[in-house]
Amino acid sequence: DLLEQALVHSSWHHEHRDAALGHNERLEFLGDAVVNLAISEALYARHPDDDEGYLSARRAAIVSTTGLARLAGRIDAGPRQPS
């Protein structure tokens, strides 16, 4: 059920309410929080002398669309973005 929900866009769900259990936005919210936590922990461990401002800026750059696309390209999980 979760996989099906993860693959349903909210606009499609609004047009086909009886065809799916729900849409992916709540799962996206949870996934974003998990990614932020994982990146935050890694940055915190790797940069013990950096302040929260630096760590926040680095995390924001990493979890941005461009940052995640670059990471996906490095592990062949998606198309590479131009540098």
Side-chain angles (χ1 to χ4, degrees):
D1 289 346
L2 285 176
L3 177 58
E4 179 181 321
Q5 185 177 349
L7 299 174
V8 175
H9 192 270
S10 61
S11 63
W12 187 89
H13 182 257
H14 291 300
E15 295 174 7
H16 306 90
R17 288 198 182 269
D18 296 334
L21 296 173
H23 55 77
N24 62 4
E25 288 183 7
R26 285 178 52 89
L27 292 171
E28 183 179 357
F29 167 79
L30 183 59
D32 288 349
V34 170
V35 169
N36 274 298
L37 177 61
I39 298 300
S40 295
E41 190 279 329
L43 288 170
Y44 189 86
R46 291 182 183 161
H47 302 279
D49 298 325
D50 293 331
D51 65 25
E52 69 280 0
Y54 172 83
L55 296 173
S56 293
R58 287 293 301 139
R59 181 185 60 209
I62 292 168
V63 302
S64 70
T65 301
T66 302
L68 290 175
R70 283 188 185 132
L71 290 174
R74 288 182 192 160
I75 62 169
D76 293 327
R80 292 186 188 266
Q81 295 291 321
S83 297

